[in-house]
């Protein structure tokens, strides 16, 4: 079912029309088979890139589309509803471009962004390490001054697009322990010393490769540094504020897809001589699912509008990520229940949505970290 | 090279299509209008020829105001400008009178090459390319699955039952293309934005020098005498297998002349 969207401009309506066409013809038809086979849909990202969708919320002068974050998130949601690996891939790519766009020098923006946003390249964002997930400031990957550049050693973990990305936005330690010793570096693929672990065998989202990124004496020029030395943790957190909204939009997309599947089934399936949708117990379940999806969408859009207005939005972004992904887990679980036995088998998409939902409660800050962020923000003196 | 690509807005094949009871013409209000699918291949081929040889691609359509959406799509794909022939008097034109109106317009705007889809998904006459070529006095190269242009000569592969014919001609010429010729591109977001600023010239009968008595329902050479809704599909034949299912199925297929 087409979601009714209040969009700020005619331009945004035209964009969403294009996205729905691409989602319907190029994304959705491949999802089930490629997920089952665990194939990464690089060609789908090329199609999205050619359509100009890989740089939506960035300025036109650097090759972006100059769209509001609110509009970009509608796009992420539509794509995630067709296939989470694609919606989340777009979100991660867009997140990976943020440090250069927001903290890079004019020269870095000019030299790097047109290619990063132009549609040919795909990005990855490297913060987590095997021993440092929620406690991101404990990262150990080290970049030491070496001549007029850096030599980088360490292991990054759980990296979306690890091994298939064209550039890696990397957080590494250049100084003291703790958050103040971290810096942000731009690492193009293909450098000596850069290698990748085998793709993780995940519960869901198997088409989106997740792998360790290993750096063994990788040499970077001095202008690979984004922002100042020691500014990396701040950059990482600022990037994640936007990234969390991307995850919230993904969650709403998956939840909407599960809801549509459940509603479609409930209208067709007949038991005891009636459509099961006509049994109040079931229709109340569908009503709750629909209401939660609508509320989750409203919350991420509220946070996005604050961001677009230049207002503080980090707490709202954490709320949106927390709420939307919990809703996604609940709604996809209920969708499986609505389909009964058919919900539990791979011939219907409901079980896939449920497996996909789980990861969204974990990535880009677990939902426990989101609660921590929200709790601190509302109780600080 | 000055390429004109003809596109037509047709009712979406996914929606219910019907004729109007008053004048027996297509009810264009009842269905969503979309670009005739085969015309997208024509637009794509025009854009590829322009990219290879330079020049300009002009979109030409004839139809009511609503057909502007179809022009917009072709412009978003990358065409440079458009001509929209629209006039109340054109309503009800058949293939022959449409070819007259289009030919008059083409004479007016000029062309080296005219490209069309091989047929439309609504009327499906598939004759417009041939009629246009005759009226314009230029070669027709129809049903192309490959087009090559070198200087002022054009060569196509024409799809046939036995494979293909190679057909050569000199420009100016009219070409129609089949869907095997290419994979039409999606418009990009920037393309959609840019399309809003591209020039679209509106031609009425006067601007295109179209004689009113040769077009519309009055000027049409063919007439829809009557029409009826397609009968609902009859129930199928169920063959019950009582040990002779294979023979019964074969009998059924033989009766229908499938085997």
């Amino acid at each position: 079912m087409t979601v009714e969207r209040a969009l700020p401009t005619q331009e945004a309506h035209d964009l969403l029309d294009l996205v729905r066409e691409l989602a319907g013809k190029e994304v959705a038809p491949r999802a089930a088979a490629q997920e089952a086979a665990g194939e990464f849909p690089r060609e789908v990202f090329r199609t999205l890139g050619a359509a100009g969708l890989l740089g939506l919320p960035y300025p036109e002068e650097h090759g972006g589309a100059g769209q509001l974050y609110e509009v970009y998130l509608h796009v992420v949601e539509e794509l995630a509803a067709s296939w989470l690996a694609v919606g989340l891939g777009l979100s991660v790519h867009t997140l990976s471009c943020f440090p250069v766009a927001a903290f890079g020098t004019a020269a870095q923006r000019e030299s790097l962004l047109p290619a990063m946003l132009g549609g040919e390249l795909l990005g990855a964002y490297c913060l987590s390490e095997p021993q440092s997930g929620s406690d991101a400031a404990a990262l150990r990957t080290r970049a030491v001054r070496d001549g007029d550049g850096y030599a980088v050693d360490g292991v990054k973990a759980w990296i979306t697009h690890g091994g298939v990305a064209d550039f890696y936005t990397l957080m590494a330690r250049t100084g003291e322990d703790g958050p103040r010793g971290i810096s942000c570096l731009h690492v193009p693929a293909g450098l000596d010393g850069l290698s990748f672990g085998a793709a993780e065998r995940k519960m869901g989202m198997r088409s989106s490769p997740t792998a360790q990124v290993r750096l063994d004496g990788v040499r970077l020029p001095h202008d690979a540094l984004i922002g100042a030395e020691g500014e990396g943790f701040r950059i990482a957190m600022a990037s994640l504020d936007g990234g969390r909204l991307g995850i919230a939009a993904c969650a709403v997309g998956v939840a909407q897809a599960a809801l549509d599947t459940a509603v479609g089934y409930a209208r067709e399936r007949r038991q005891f001589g009636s459509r099961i949708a006509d049994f109040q117990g079931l229709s109340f379940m569908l009503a709750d699912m629909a209401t939660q999806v609508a509320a989750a969408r409203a919350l991420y859009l509220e946070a996005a509008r604050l961001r677009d207005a230049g207002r503080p939005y980090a707490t709202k972004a954490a709320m949106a990520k927390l709420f939307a992904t919990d809703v996604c887990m609940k709604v996809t679980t209920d969708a499986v229940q609505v389909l009964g036995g058919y919900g539990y088998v791979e011939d219907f998409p409901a079980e896939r949505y449920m497996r996909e939902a789980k990861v969204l409660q974990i990535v880009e800050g677990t939902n426990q970290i989101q609660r921590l962020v929200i709790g601190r923000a509302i109780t600080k003196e | 090279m000055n390429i004109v690509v003809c596109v037509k807005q047709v009712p979406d094949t996914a929606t219910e299509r019907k004729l109007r009871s008053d004048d027996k013409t297509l009810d264009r209000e009842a269905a969503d209008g979309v670009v005739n699918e085969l015309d997208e291949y024509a637009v794509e081929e025009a854009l590829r020829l322009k990219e290879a040889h330079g020049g300009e691609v002009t979109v030409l359509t004839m139809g009511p105001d609503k057909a502007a959406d179809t022009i917009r799509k072709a412009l978003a794909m990358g065409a440079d400008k458009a001509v929209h022939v629209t006039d109340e008097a054109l309503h009800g034109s058949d293939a022959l009178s449409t070819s007259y109106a289009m030919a008059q317009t083409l004479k007016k705007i000029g062309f080296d090459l005219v490209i069309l889809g091989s047929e439309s998904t609504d009327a499906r006459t598939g004759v417009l390319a041939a009629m246009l070529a005759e009226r314009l006095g230029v070669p027709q190269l129809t049903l192309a699955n490959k087009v090559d242009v070198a200087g002022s000569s054009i060569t196509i592969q024409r799809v046939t039952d036995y494979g293909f014919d190679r057909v050569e001609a000199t420009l100016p010429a009219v070409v129609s293309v089949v869907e095997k010729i290419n994979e039409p591109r999606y418009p990009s977001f920037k393309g959609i934005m840019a399309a809003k600023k591209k020039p679209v010239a509106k031609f009425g009968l006067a601007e295109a020098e179209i004689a009113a008595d040769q077009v519309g329902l009055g000027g049409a050479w063919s007439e829809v005498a009557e029409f009826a809704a397609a009968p609902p599909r009859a129930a199928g034949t169920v063959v019950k297998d009582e040990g002779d299912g294979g023979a019964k199925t074969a009998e059924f297929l033989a009766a229908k002349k499938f085997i």
Side-chain angles (χ1 to χ4, degrees):
Chain A
M1 202 173 60
T2 308
V3 175
E4 205 60 59
R5 298 180 187 280
L7 296 168
T9 58
Q10 181 55 43
E11 197 170 280
H13 280 286
D14 294 341
L15 172 63
L16 265 292
D17 283 345
L18 171 66
V19 169
R20 274 189 284 263
E21 184 182 4
L22 289 168
K25 290 184 184 167
E26 300 291 333
V27 182
R30 301 161 193 253
Q34 286 197 248
E35 273 297 323
E39 285 168 9
F40 176 59
R42 186 64 180 93
E43 72 289 355
V44 170
F45 288 97
R46 287 191 208 289
T47 303
L48 300 185
L53 303 185
L54 296 191
L56 287 174
Y58 296 110
E60 289 176 87
E61 59 175 312
H62 295 127
Q67 290 302 297
L68 292 170
Y69 215 73
E70 171 190 353
V71 173
Y72 151 72
L73 291 175
H74 280 292
V75 173
V76 171
E77 187 200 313
E78 285 282 352
L79 291 170
S82 290
W83 191 358
L84 179 59
V86 173
L88 186 125
L90 172 62
S91 177
V92 167
H93 167 79
T94 306
L95 160 75
S96 309
C97 299
F98 180 78
V100 175
F103 297 91
T105 62
Q108 285 172 324
R109 289 201 298 269
E110 263 170 45
S111 67
L112 295 173
L113 278 182
M116 290 164 76
L117 305 178
E120 294 286 324
L121 304 188
L122 199 59
Y125 181 80
C126 305
L127 176 61
S128 291
E129 297 184 357
Q131 81 296 338
S132 114
S134 293
D135 186 7
L139 65 85
R140 289 183 196 152
T141 294
R142 187 162 282 282
V144 294
R145 287 275 189 168
D146 179 26
D148 65 346
Y150 296 92
V152 190
D153 287 281
V155 178
K156 290 293 174 179
W158 312 114
I159 306 307
T160 300
H161 301 158
V164 301
D166 301 290
F167 62 89
Y168 296 84
T169 300
L170 176 80
M171 303 303 156
R173 190 164 301 286
T174 50
E176 66 193 64
D177 284 350
R180 289 200 182 83
I182 295 170
S183 299
C184 179
L185 296 153
H186 177 80
V187 183
L191 295 182
D192 285 343
L194 188 63
S195 66
F196 308 96
E200 306 289 351
R201 293 171 299 160
K202 302 196 297 295
M203 174 175 163
M205 222 173 55
R206 292 175 183 152
S207 291
S208 175
T210 306
Q212 286 193 351
V213 174
R214 296 169 186 156
L215 302 111
D216 183 12
V218 173
R219 296 263 307 119
L220 295 174
H222 69 93
D223 63 358
L225 178 70
I226 309 300
E229 274 197 11
E231 210 185 357
F233 193 74
R234 192 169 75 82
I235 294 173
M237 292 303 114
S239 306
L240 282 181
D241 287 340
R244 283 166 183 164
L245 289 180
I247 299 302
C250 284
V252 172
V254 173
Q256 180 72 48
L259 171 66
D260 290 347
T261 300
V263 167
Y265 183 83
R267 284 153 84 168
E268 280 183 9
R269 173 74 168 173
R270 299 183 75 84
Q271 291 288 279
F272 307 105
S274 318
R275 306 185 313 163
I276 62 168
D278 293 332
F279 297 118
Q280 206 172 49
L282 199 118
S283 80
F284 277 16
M285 204 163 145
L286 294 173
D288 284 344
M289 290 159 74
T291 305
Q292 290 172 86
V293 172
R297 181 179 294 119
L299 187 52
Y300 88 63
L301 289 174
E302 158 77 2
R305 286 171 192 142
L306 286 172
R307 178 185 163 118
D308 287 328
R311 310 290 301 164
Y313 75 102
T315 311
K316 278 271 165 63
M319 290 176 182
K321 196 274 178 183
L322 167 65
F323 185 72
T325 59
D326 282 355
V327 158
C328 185
M329 193 71 247
K330 173 89 169 74
V331 167
T332 55
T333 307
D334 287 348
V336 170
Q337 191 70 18
V338 169
L339 270 71
Y342 296 103
Y344 199 68
V345 294
E346 293 179 6
D347 304 295
F348 291 81
E351 61 85 31
R352 170 161 72 85
Y353 298 141
M354 186 175 163
R355 288 186 286 109
E356 290 176 341
K358 187 65 221 175
V359 79
L360 299 173
Q361 294 180 305
I362 299 169
V363 296
E364 296 195 27
T366 63
N367 284 7
Q368 287 65 40
I369 289 292
Q370 307 303 330
R371 288 182 172 90
L372 200 78
V373 168
I374 299 161
R376 278 183 190 156
I378 60 176
T379 57
K380 96 178 156 206
E381 293 294 328
Chain B
M1 190 165 40
N2 181 4
I3 306 170
V4 179
V5 55
C6 300
V7 301
K8 182 182 185 184
Q9 186 176 58
V10 297
D12 191 342
T13 49
T15 60
E16 194 194 351
R17 296 172 288 175
K18 52 187 181 186
L19 299 181
R20 281 163 40 157
S21 54
D22 53 354
D23 64 3
K24 304 190 183 81
T25 60
L26 178 68
D27 188 347
R28 294 183 191 277
E29 298 306 315
D32 289 339
V34 297
V35 184
N36 176 44
E37 203 183 315
L38 279 159
D39 297 346
E40 292 190 21
Y41 297 87
V43 174
E44 177 65 34
E45 198 58 24
L47 295 174
R48 289 184 189 195
L49 287 169
K50 176 195 155 175
E51 283 156 12
H53 303 284
E56 194 173 49
V57 174
T58 304
V59 181
L60 171 60
T61 198
M62 178 174 130
D65 286 348
K66 200 179 152 191
D69 295 343
T70 291
I71 289 178
R72 204 60 70 193
K73 171 99 191 246
L75 292 175
M77 285 172 74
D80 300 288
K81 58 191 173 70
V83 175
H84 184 177
V85 183
T86 182
D87 199 305
E88 265 306 306
L90 293 165
H91 173 74
S93 296
D94 63 359
L96 205 56
S97 43
T98 298
S99 72
Y100 162 71
M102 298 281 279
Q104 289 298 97
T105 311
L106 283 162
K107 283 179 196 163
K108 204 85 191 163
I109 62 179
F111 62 91
D112 298 314
L113 181 60
V114 179
I115 307 183
L116 303 86
S118 55
E119 63 178 30
S120 61
T121 57
D122 52 357
R124 302 199 60 184
T125 60
V127 294
L128 194 65
M131 287 178 168
L132 274 182
E134 279 302 306
R135 289 191 183 274
L136 294 165
V138 300
Q140 52 166 304
L141 304 94
T142 54
L143 303 176
N145 70 358
K146 191 169 188 298
V147 176
D148 285 310
V149 172
S152 65
S153 80
I154 178 165
T155 309
I156 70 149
Q157 280 185 13
R158 182 178 201 274
V159 179
T160 64
D161 290 340
Y162 46 83
F164 62 84
D165 289 330
R166 183 170 285 116
V167 185
E168 288 180 29
T170 45
L171 298 176
V174 174
V175 169
S176 79
V177 301
V178 298
E179 73 273 15
K180 290 185 191 73
I181 194 167
N182 56 40
E183 189 61 44
R185 68 195 67 186
Y186 288 98
S188 69
F189 181 47
K190 285 199 172 72
I192 291 170
M193 292 302 106
K196 293 177 196 277
K197 299 188 188 104
K198 290 178 178 175
V200 178
K202 276 201 175 188
F203 280 26
L205 294 195
E207 288 85 349
E209 292 182 29
I210 297 167
D213 60 353
Q214 299 211 32
V215 294
L217 278 170
W221 285 63
S222 58
E223 185 187 357
V224 178
E226 58 180 308
F227 67 89
R233 186 178 291 200
T237 306
V238 178
V239 175
K240 205 166 184 186
D241 187 11
E242 288 160 342
D244 56 353
K248 280 185 183 164
T249 305
E251 266 170 38
F252 174 82
L253 292 172
K256 298 277 181 194
K257 295 196 166 53
F258 282 120
I259 54 175

